[in-house]
Amino acid sequence: MQPGKTVNTPCRTSILAFDGGGVRGVFQACLVNELHKRTGLLNHVTAFAGTSTGALMAACLAWDIRRIDEAVDLYARIGSDVFTGLKQTPRKLFPFSPNYSADRLAAGLKSFFSCDGSSPEFASCKTRCLVFAISLGTHEVITFDSRFPSPRNLSVIDVLLSSSAAPTYFRPHTFSNRLFVDGGLGCNNPAWPSVNHFVSSGIPIEATKVLSIGTCSRPSSIGLIPPAWRARFMWAVPTINICMDTTSNASNEYCRTMLGDRFLRLDGTSRVRENIPLDAQRLAHKHLIDVAHSVASDRSVIESVEEWLSR
């Protein structure tokens, strides 16, 4: 069969994939919530996949799709707790030091996934969930699969902290004597890695479809970098953004080529006038919630989602 060619085989693997993008993830939460109300989207998904902030969205929905409203509230609460107020270290003085504490993020996650503050197992997800992170020991993209967790008692909190440990924002996350950093450095858009994961396990690519949701990322101008030692420091954050954007674009192209009309990409970038940094919590909530509602109410978007669901 030719890549991307439409076939009559019914898709039995329907993946909802979420990009990484820091506090811009509020766009994903609001968009999915609105689309589910209009189309029943979440009732047709057989697997959720996410990287970084997208991993948080994927895990929340995989845990229980009935808590979609709580997932939206979780973004507002975590964003406010983690990314507002004084930073841990001034970036101008310590450009490679983590700016934020992952302890607040962990506390927010535990409030959603556990009633007693414990760290429940990743395998407890009601729907299959894939989360991507990068191992600092091997420089490999690691796929955490809720159906086949390793170790068996793998904590959902450890999984999400590993995938969200963006350099310069958070420290690398450690568990089972391994160090992990943000999966966005290698696969910020988990759409194609998710397809590859299922195909490698024996699922025919002809029976797989993906709905991929971005975070309204806009390339920001870097400009001229001052010479000498300052250049090394000023490249740190822009390099992270470049890695995230380029891997996301590549994943989209792979999916369009191999899946054809079984791949649908939704984003609101064209409706955003400025780049919103990964930690700009107030800016993200000011603009992206309205953008999400605008995208979800677009008749052409609804028709595209309904057509995707019918395949």
Side-chain angles (χ1 to χ4, degrees):
M1 181 192 140
Q2 295 178 352
K5 184 178 179 180
T6 301
V7 294
N8 294 325
T9 304
C11 292
R12 64 174 186 261
T13 303
S14 301
I15 305 169
L16 184 53
F18 299 95
D19 285 19
V23 294
R24 297 196 304 266
V26 69
F27 165 80
Q28 298 173 322
C30 292
L31 178 61
V32 170
N33 191 22
E34 290 301 314
L35 289 176
H36 180 57
K37 292 176 182 176
R38 290 171 166 82
T39 66
L41 169 64
L42 299 178
N43 298 326
H44 302 272
V45 175
T46 60
F48 295 96
T51 298
S52 194
T53 191
L56 169 57
M57 192 67 214
C60 286
L61 295 176
W63 199 256
D64 190 347
I65 62 172
R66 295 172 298 178
R67 299 180 66 185
I68 177 63
D69 289 325
E70 294 178 54
V72 175
D73 293 338
L74 179 65
Y75 267 94
R77 187 169 68 254
I78 286 183
S80 178
D81 290 344
V82 176
F83 294 112
T84 57
L86 293 175
K87 298 180 179 180
Q88 286 194 131
T89 54
R91 178 163 284 166
K92 290 184 179 180
L93 297 178
F94 305 98
F96 290 133
S97 299
N99 269 2
Y100 304 101
S101 170
D103 292 340
R104 292 183 178 181
L105 176 58
L109 293 175
K110 288 180 180 179
S111 71
F112 181 91
F113 291 99
S114 172
C115 296
D116 57 6
S118 61
S119 298
E121 295 181 0
F122 189 40
S124 297
C125 290
K126 290 183 172 65
T127 307
R128 193 168 183 178
C129 184
L130 304 181
V131 170
F132 299 88
I134 291 179
S135 167
L136 280 184
T138 62
H139 295 183
E140 294 178 302
V141 175
I142 304 300
T143 305
F144 295 109
D145 187 337
S146 64
R147 183 169 296 180
F148 304 104
S150 179
R152 288 294 304 173
N153 63 344
L154 178 63
S155 161
V156 65
I157 307 301
D158 280 327
V159 169
L160 297 181
L161 291 180
S162 296
S163 185
S164 303
T168 78
Y169 293 92
F170 299 106
R171 295 184 184 280
H173 184 65
T174 305
F175 76 91
S176 297
N177 296 318
R178 300 176 69 184
L179 279 173
F180 296 93
V181 292
D182 197 316
L185 296 178
C187 65
N188 194 54
N189 178 346
W192 178 247
S194 300
V195 173
N196 186 59
H197 182 78
F198 281 108
V199 172
S200 298
S201 65
I203 303 296
I205 194 170
E206 297 89 350
T208 304
K209 62 182 179 181
V210 179
L211 172 52
S212 172
I213 301 183
T215 60
C216 303
S217 174
R218 290 182 65 90
S220 56
S221 176
I222 297 176
L224 296 175
I225 302 296
W229 66 272
R230 290 179 61 196
R232 292 181 299 170
F233 303 126
M234 296 184 70
W235 268 105
V237 174
T239 297
I240 295 173
N241 293 331
I242 291 171
C243 289
M244 289 182 171
D245 288 342
T246 53
T247 59
S248 181
N249 293 335
S251 183
N252 286 334
E253 291 306 311
Y254 293 150
C255 284
R256 288 192 183 101
T257 299
M258 302 304 294
L259 300 180
D261 56 13
R262 300 192 308 282
F263 173 69
L264 177 61
R265 173 72 171 179
L266 297 180
D267 207 341
T269 301
S270 62
R271 305 173 195 237
V272 178
R273 296 182 178 180
E274 61 181 308
N275 178 59
I276 298 177
L278 302 180
D279 57 351
Q281 190 264 345
R282 291 188 179 91
L283 194 61
H285 281 255
K286 179 180 178 181
H287 296 291
L288 297 186
I289 293 176
D290 289 340
V291 171
H293 286 286
S294 175
V295 174
S297 61
D298 188 321
R299 188 60 209 170
S300 64
V301 171
I302 296 175
E303 290 175 352
S304 295
V305 172
E306 290 174 339
E307 185 176 352
W308 179 84
L309 289 172
S310 69
R311 297 193 181 283

